[in-house]
Amino acid sequence: MKLIPTGEMTLGPFFPREFAQGANDLTTVNGRRAPGEVIEVAGRIAQLDSRPLDNVVVEIWQADNRGRYDAPDYCGWGRAATDADGVYRFRTIKPGATDGRLPHINFLLLYSGLMRHLQTVMYFELGADPVLDAVPAARRQLLVARREGATYRFDIRLRGEDETPFFDD
Amino acid sequence: MPAAHPAPLDRRDPATQPQGVVEGYAQTSQRWPAEPLVRRPQTRSELSGPQDLRRRLQPVRADLAGQGAKRALGQLIHLRARVVDEDGAPVAGAMVEIWHCNAAGKYIHPNDSNDAPADPNFYGAARLVAGDSGLIELRTIKPGAYPVPDSGGWWRPPHIHFSVWGRVWLSRLVTQMFFPGEPLNETDHILNAIRDAAARSRSIARLMPTERGPANALVYEYQLVVRGRGAAPQLP
């Protein structure tokens, strides 16, 4: 028997505020501190007319510095929501290279007006990586975060100039 | 020793998934990318997922209808939803978030500008964890329809929002469930953004025979199919 995955639909404008809060720190789980370098990952999300978007739900999935996604002292999943300035923020562990991949963080966006979720990937630098290699060369730099002190800044443009590359699987 | 991960997931049939830009839903043309989505290979990064999301998110509220004098207004319903993969295998332990408006069509949310009244006994948000059979059950009230502001007369039919985690990162599913026999289903820009009629019909819950359910509630059944096949058998 082969079932067809349920059709996705937009998150809509009324995702409960309480659900969007409280899961944007990946440095601890159940009171245990993950090993590795603590960094902040933050950025602004904007639409075609450049307006920053508030209450975008941003989910991430990433390995830790040893390439582990899930371990007794680490859980590589987190969620944040953008504020009134369109800015999301995570406190996390800088991921290591693993399985032939460059260090990277998977991003998933949910929002009113997005009929289904969007997926993108944040990198720390360009290099050989099977997912990055799938992106047209001229657009790869758009997936690389800018370093600002202890913060890696990864802005996301849903549509328009310097539109972020998004993935389909 | 890296943990084994599942085989790559099957690609989805676009006809069973919504279009990105939808006429009549203005925000979609501001937000859906203009560039084509990039097809990428699936690696361990996309084919893994948290073993237990309760390490990040706590289950809350399995009953939105309330009891006695604190009962929410509206038609009491009992919702039985099953989370399965593309093989029909239950996704045991799947986390599911559910939210919907009250019987008058009002959400408890600062973004909701509709002038319908709030119900002090209704708070429309639950987070549940499926049992071994992939089943989640929610006692609640049937949500109302409501107009979408500045949309030229678009009304949303009664619907319930679901956010579901499957076994891996690529199995994430956020969707909406509709009710059978609702005339507004025919004109809803969200339901009808899915071109395939059979796929649309699978987003509509099934009303179960009233003789067999609880005396005071209508029972609806629904199936949430997340991406993934060939779940590894449980090791002893």
Side-chain angles (χ1 to χ4, degrees), chain A residues 2 7 18 70 104 159 169, chain B residues 32 40 45 51 86 123 175:
Chain A
K2 159 79 167 132
E18 65 172 279
D70 205 323
H104 67 280
R159 186 180 179 110
D169 326 278
Chain B
W32 189 255
R40 63 176 164 184
S45 186
Q51 297 302 302
E86 293 171 72
Y123 188 91
T175 190

Side-chain angles (χ1 to χ4, degrees), chain A residues 27-168:
Chain A
T27 62
T28 63
V29 64
N30 291 346
R32 293 182 66 173
R33 164 77 165 78
E37 180 190 349
V38 175
I39 59 170
E40 183 181 69
V41 173
R44 175 165 310 195
I45 302 181
Q47 64 180 14
L48 175 63
D49 63 9
S50 301
R51 184 164 71 84
L53 301 171
D54 73 332
N55 277 309
V56 182
V57 173
V58 183
E59 295 179 354
I60 62 173
W61 176 242
Q62 62 156 99
D64 72 0
N65 62 329
R66 289 184 273 177
R68 305 177 309 167
Y69 287 85
D70 205 323
D73 56 359
Y74 178 71
C75 171
W77 185 89
R79 171 192 271 176
T82 57
D83 62 17
D85 297 319
V87 175
Y88 68 87
R89 232 169 257 288
F90 289 96
R91 194 164 174 267
T92 188
I93 301 295
K94 190 174 183 190
T98 178
D99 305 306
R101 299 287 309 272
L102 290 172
H104 67 280
I105 299 178
N106 297 299
F107 274 67
L108 184 158
L109 306 182
L110 294 160
Y111 198 48
S112 175
L114 287 182
M115 298 301 286
R116 52 194 178 98
H117 75 253
L118 283 175
Q119 293 243 4
T120 189
V121 179
M122 179 193 121
Y123 289 88
F124 295 82
E125 58 186 353
L126 293 177
D129 177 280
V131 170
L132 189 58
D133 290 347
V135 178
R139 301 184 68 206
R140 288 178 196 160
Q141 188 65 40
L142 294 166
L143 295 178
V144 179
R146 295 196 314 276
R147 182 149 197 184
E148 296 176 354
T151 298
Y152 286 87
R153 171 105 189 190
F154 182 53
D155 292 336
I156 295 174
R157 179 69 173 262
L158 297 181
R159 186 180 179 110
E161 194 181 346
D162 289 337
E163 179 178 303
T164 302
F166 295 99
F167 293 94
D168 186 18

